[in-house]
Amino acid sequence: MRWSPIGGVGVNLAVQDAVATANLLAAKLADGCPPEQELDAVRRRREFPVRMTQAMQVVAQNNIISAALKPGDRPLKLPLFLRVINAVPWLQGLTARFVGVGVRPNMCNRRKLRNRRVASVSCVYPITENPPSTGIAVAGDKIRRA
């Protein structure tokens, strides 16, 4: 499956995942490998923001990028929602914040992590054969909800 780089938020999501993981698992990693159920807490915490970001990418791909890449000489007309965002300054800021920091930003919980030293821990977990679906599918040049 292909994922769209629209919005350039891949690294943002990875950093947010890392911070959420540190906040939820740092203390447990200090004692060794946490059980898989603890990893599920990270997945549950990050699932909503990832789905929302992917939904934003689907809208951008299907309403903006696809129209811009259509052959022909017709000028590109932005969808109404983008014209509204472009016309209202506070919506521009809100959109930039959404793209920049995500739906549910994670801040490093310094009190939890203070004075924590985690030695190099190597945890091995079995690979899930059927990971949960993100609900997004790619078909040709269209991205859709599965």
Side-chain angles (χ1 to χ4, degrees), residues 89-142:
W90 66 268
L91 282 176
Q92 292 172 14
L94 190 64
T95 305
R97 179 173 167 72
F98 173 78
V99 171
V101 298
V103 177
R104 182 186 293 151
N106 286 288
M107 300 298 287
C108 200
N109 188 335
R110 292 181 184 175
R111 278 183 270 152
K112 256 187 189 178
L113 301 176
R114 187 168 291 147
N115 299 322
R116 287 272 181 206
R117 296 251 180 226
V118 177
S120 179
V121 177
S122 178
C123 302
V124 178
Y125 298 96
I127 296 173
T128 305
E129 283 186 34
N130 296 315
S133 171
T134 59
I136 306 293
V138 177
D141 66 338
K142 289 287 188 183

Side-chain angles (χ1 to χ4, degrees), residues 20-120:
T21 302
N23 287 340
L24 293 170
L25 297 181
K28 294 169 178 94
L29 282 168
D31 298 329
C33 294
E36 280 188 74
Q37 295 79 9
E38 299 292 340
L39 301 178
D40 281 342
V42 176
R43 183 192 52 79
R44 285 188 304 272
R45 167 86 181 149
R46 297 298 303 144
E47 189 171 14
F48 174 74
V50 169
R51 285 181 184 266
M52 289 299 295
T53 301
Q54 289 174 343
M56 178 272 303
Q57 290 175 313
V58 168
V59 168
Q61 171 68 36
N62 293 343
N63 293 298
I64 303 164
I65 305 301
S66 293
L69 295 177
K70 280 186 183 172
D73 293 335
R74 291 180 45 186
L76 177 64
K77 183 177 180 183
L78 290 177
L80 177 62
F81 77 93
L82 278 180
R83 292 189 306 241
V84 170
I85 289 171
N86 197 35
V88 180
W90 66 268
L91 282 176
Q92 292 172 14
L94 190 64
T95 305
R97 179 173 167 72
F98 173 78
V99 171
V101 298
V103 177
R104 182 186 293 151
N106 286 288
M107 300 298 287
C108 200
N109 188 335
R110 292 181 184 175
R111 278 183 270 152
K112 256 187 189 178
L113 301 176
R114 187 168 291 147
N115 299 322
R116 287 272 181 206
R117 296 251 180 226
V118 177
S120 179

